[in-house]
Every structure is written in structure tokens, then in C-alpha cells.
Amino acid sequence: MEGSRVRTLAEDRVLVTGGAGFIGSHLCERLLALSKDVLCVDNFYTGTRTNVSHLLREPHFELMRHDVTFPLYVEVDRIYNLACPASPIHYQFDPVQTTKTSVHGAINMLGLAKRLKATILQASTSEVYGDPKTHPQREDYWGNVNPIGPRSCYDEGKRCAETLFFDYYRQHRLAIKVARIFNTYGPRMHPNDGRVVSNFIVQALKGTDITVYGDGSQTRSFCYVSDLVEALVRLMDTSSEFTGPINLGNPKEFTILELAETIVRMTASRSKIVFKPLPTDDPVQRQPDISLARREFAWEPKVPLDEGLRETIDYFKRTLQ
Ligand code: NAD
Ligand code: UDP
Ligand code: UDP
């Protein structure tokens, strides 16, 4: 056994779909640090090999190019299903493929989990609440989602994936975990994904106008990626009866204008803040109620916005050079 670790736990082999993406690459890193064998599956639609290139030399890391809309036959103990483009620009580029990734991808990964009796975690989203009529959003809120708008491929795809997860749970007694992730940011966000944190930082660093959509009074709450990854790992470790859905995000709420001003200040940028039209179906307010995560696994985000932004700004400074 020299040179190789002796396996003691049945849950050592972990599949991360979408593992070469922003959140997925941080999750792969964390799982390796926890001595797991990590199989990262990605079709590089929005993720890149560069995001995981530093992991390729790790003996317990394997990277596989594969599209989850096709069946996948591998042997693992746990599955984190993150594969799906996450930013409006990317998921609206090929909306049919977005729905297929959520729905066919969920069916295939659930079929895989069923065959292996593996626990499977779904990266769902706060978008299942749509433009919420209750505030903050609790898990028992059913949402206010437009089924036919430009965001629907993502929102309804993720809602259908949740339905599939709960049907496999009820019908096949599968061990499932459904995480509803709220806006997350950090290093390895795609610089052109149109999301607000990456857009504002890139604009501030380049000295171009900071584009606030609407009057900037809409709110979001931003969770730093290391906090989110910690929550995903803790969720996976909950007892088999615990399914979620569970909100994961940072409850501290900011207006988009406050975010723009903070980033301008932190980068000492000369960029001007300009106002552009608000996109269709853009939610006015979004804030997670995380009491369930606090209760179930004593989790709450630790990284304050300015600290997380500093790391993210440093990352973009390095990559934009
Ligand atoms: P990302 O785009 O960086 O990562 C998604 C990854 O999935 C990419 O590497 C992409 O190449 C891969 N992928 C896409 N389609 C695929 C397919 N058909 N087969 C295999 N791989 C495929 O986005 P992210 O921000 O890291 O998001 C990860 C997950 O978390 C997504 O499911 C997303 O919906 C969810 N989520 C993210 C946020 C956020 O704020 N970042 C919020 C809510 C939910
Ligand atoms: N599947 C997979 N890997 C597996 C087992 C199943 O990708 O190891 C896919 C398979 O292609 C199927 C889907 O998962 O279409 C759903 O599987 P399930 O067993 O639930 O349904 P069935 O095969 O009966 O349609
Ligand atoms: N937004 C903005 N300027 C940008 C990009 C986004 O004002 O350059 C706004 C957007 O309209 C939304 C908020 O920031 O109100 C968050 O947008 P993002 O796309 O990051 O996430 P989501 O809408 O999915 O929460």
C-alpha cells in the first residue's frame, strides 16, 4: 500500500459535475483537502481547464470531459451535481441546452446515483423563487416564476430538476440533498459572464463605465465562495433523512448601487457609475432566510463583503494583466 492511501470510508469517491466551473473548482479543491478521490466531470461550456489546472497533478484528482445530458457510467459514492451555466448571458445563449442540462442532466445523474446507491446533491438556485413576493425567502415559499420568459430556461429547468430529485427520493428512496444557492462570488468567476460582481470589478479595473441596471435600488445578498463550499460539504454530510431544500447564501443585503460604490472605492477607480435599463424579470429584492442551515449544521457565512471583494479584485487584477 506504499504511496497510496488506505481507503477506510465508503464515501471517499466523489463526483463533481460542473467541477471546472467557478464554484465547482473550489469544491474540488476543498474535497481534495478532505482526502477524497475527486472525479471532475465538465464539458467546458462555461468552465475551463485552467480553473482546475493546478489540481491535475494531484493523484486523487481526475478530470473527464463529458456532457451530463448524456448517460454517464462511473463508480462513485457521492455526487455533487453542479453542471449548468449559471449567469444570464451564458444560460440565455442556448436556452434549449440550458433546460436540457438541468433536466436531462438531473435524470442521468439521478439514474447514476440510483444504480450506485450514492448520495446526490443538487446545486439548485434562489431563482426557483423567481421575483419573490415574500421577503426574505424561506424554503417553504413556492416562488413567483414566469414560465415563458428569457430566464425561464434556467428557473424552470432548476425547478424541474428539484421535482425530479424529490420524485427519485419518494419513488426510489434515493438519498438526496437540494441546495438553493443565492448569489455567490469570488475568484474564478468568468470575467464576461455579465454577473454583477464580475462586471463591476472588471469595469472598475479597466476604468470603463460601471453599468448599474435600473436605478440600482434592487437588492442582492452576496456569499463568498469559500463560505458556500463549506455549506455544500456540510449539507452532504447531513443524515440520510435530511433532503432540504435548503437556502445557502449570505443574508446581508446590499443594493446594487451600494455594491457599485463599494467596488469603485476599493479599486480607487476613476470609472463613472451610469444607469442602464433593467433586464426583463429582474428580481427587485433577494435575501435568503438561512435559519434552516443554521439549525441543521450550524452554518453561516463568515467572510464579509469587503474581504471577499478584496480577494476577487486581486484575482481579476492578476487575470486581466
Ligand atoms: P459556472 O458556469 O462557472 O459552472 C458551471 C459548470 O458546469 C461549468 O464548468 C460548465 O462548463 C459546466 N457545464 C455546463 N453545462 C454542462 C453540461 N451539459 N455537462 C457538463 N458540464 C456542464 O457556474 P457556477 O457559478 O460555478 O455555478 C455552479 C452551479 O451552481 C450551477 O448549477 C448554478 O446553477 C448553481 N448556482 C450558482 C450560483 C452563483 O451565484 N454562482 C447561484 C445559484 C446557483
Ligand atoms: N444512467 C446513467 N448512469 C448510470 C445509470 C443510469 O447515466 O449509471 C442514466 C440512464 O441513461 C437513464 C437515466 O440515468 O436514462 C435514468 O436512469 P433510471 O434508472 O432512473 O431510469 P431508466 O433507465 O429506467 O429510464
Ligand atoms: N446588474 C447591474 N449591472 C451589471 C450586471 C448586473 O446592475 O452590469 C444587476 C442586475 O440587473 C441584477 C443584479 O445586478 O439586478 C444581480 O445580477 P446578476 O446577473 O449578477 O445576478 P441575478 O440577477 O441572477 O441575481
Side-chain angles (χ1 to χ4, degrees):
M1 299 303 285
E2 269 166 51
S4 72
R5 280 183 297 129
V6 181
R7 301 258 158 261
T8 50
L9 296 172
E11 66 272 17
D12 263 356
R13 299 167 304 174
V14 185
L15 165 63
V16 180
T17 76
F22 157 53
I23 298 174
S25 60
H26 289 275
L27 177 62
C28 288
E29 257 173 24
R30 183 70 212 284
L31 292 168
L32 285 168
L34 292 169
S35 300
K36 308 290 183 195
D37 261 346
V38 177
L39 172 60
C40 168
V41 162
D42 206 296
N43 69 349
F44 305 121
Y45 186 62
T46 50
T48 61
R49 283 176 67 83
T50 317
N51 282 343
V52 288
S53 57
H54 59 298
L55 303 178
L56 292 174
R57 58 181 173 271
E58 297 277 341
H60 296 287
F61 180 77
E62 195 181 341
L63 177 61
M64 179 179 179
R65 182 193 287 265
H66 175 80
D67 181 330
V68 294
T69 62
F70 295 100
L72 176 66
Y73 287 84
V74 291
E75 306 303 313
V76 292
D77 307 298
R78 291 177 160 197
I79 303 169
Y80 289 86
N81 188 36
L82 271 62
C84 186
S87 78
I89 286 186
H90 288 147
Y91 70 64
Q92 289 172 21
F93 176 73
D94 185 349
V96 174
Q97 175 66 13
T98 300
T99 304
K100 281 185 187 170
T101 294
S102 274
V103 177
H104 293 179
I107 292 173
N108 287 327
M109 293 311 104
L110 286 161
L112 174 66
K114 184 180 127 199
R115 176 174 67 77
L116 299 171
K117 298 189 173 44
T119 305
I120 179 165
L121 182 152
Q122 167 68 357
S124 190
T125 168
S126 54
E127 296 280 329
V128 299
Y129 300 123
D131 192 357
K133 298 280 184 229
T134 69
H135 193 78
Q137 291 80 51
R138 277 172 31 148
E139 290 85 351
D140 55 6
Y141 177 54
W142 289 355
N144 175 37
V145 177
N146 175 359
I148 57 167
R151 295 175 87 107
S152 310
C153 58
Y154 185 70
D155 302 4
E156 297 288 23
K158 289 284 190 181
R159 285 170 69 94
C160 183
E162 286 200 9
T163 306
L164 284 161
F165 268 67
F166 277 86
D167 283 334
Y168 270 77
Y169 166 70
R170 282 184 289 257
Q171 204 172 323
H172 301 300
R173 307 309 304 161
L174 211 66
I176 62 155
K177 315 279 175 196
V178 173
R180 290 186 180 152
I181 302 170
F182 284 65
N183 298 61
T184 301
Y185 72 102
R188 303 197 200 116
M189 289 182 91
H190 201 290
N192 305 320
D193 72 359
R195 281 189 273 194
V196 69
V197 173
S198 42
N199 260 16
F200 286 0
I201 293 179
V202 170
Q203 289 164 343
L205 292 177
K206 289 187 170 164
T208 57
D209 289 348
I210 309 261
T211 53
V212 169
Y213 302 155
D215 61 6
S217 63
Q218 72 271 35
T219 67
R220 292 293 186 275
S221 33
F222 301 100
C223 187
Y224 190 61
V225 65
S226 60
D227 281 330
L228 195 264
V229 163
E230 176 62 31
L232 293 177
V233 169
R234 287 195 198 183
L235 172 59
M236 184 58 109
D237 279 340
T238 51
S239 71
S240 59
E241 299 85 66
F242 187 76
T243 57
I246 186 163
N247 289 338
L248 300 178
N250 195 325
K252 185 121 182 52
E253 196 181 357
F254 295 89
T255 69
I256 294 304
L257 189 56
E258 279 170 331
L259 178 75
E261 287 163 352
T262 307
I263 290 175
V264 169
R265 178 173 44 75
M266 289 183 69
T267 51
S269 172
R270 269 185 265 151
S271 293
K272 278 201 321 292
I273 293 177
V274 299
F275 296 89
K276 301 269 178 185
L278 197 64
T280 317
D281 295 338
D282 197 274
V284 175
Q285 220 180 2
R286 194 187 285 141
Q287 184 195 25
D289 178 327
I290 60 162
S291 346
L292 184 58
R294 282 199 180 101
R295 213 165 48 238
E296 273 304 316
F297 41 84
W299 175 82
E300 60 183 359
K302 290 202 177 79
V303 182
L305 186 67
D306 55 349
E307 197 178 314
L309 284 178
R310 200 170 314 119
E311 295 288 330
T312 315
I313 291 167
D314 286 350
Y315 166 78
F316 279 112
K317 273 187 188 158
R318 288 196 302 276
T319 53
L320 293 176
Q321 272 166 12

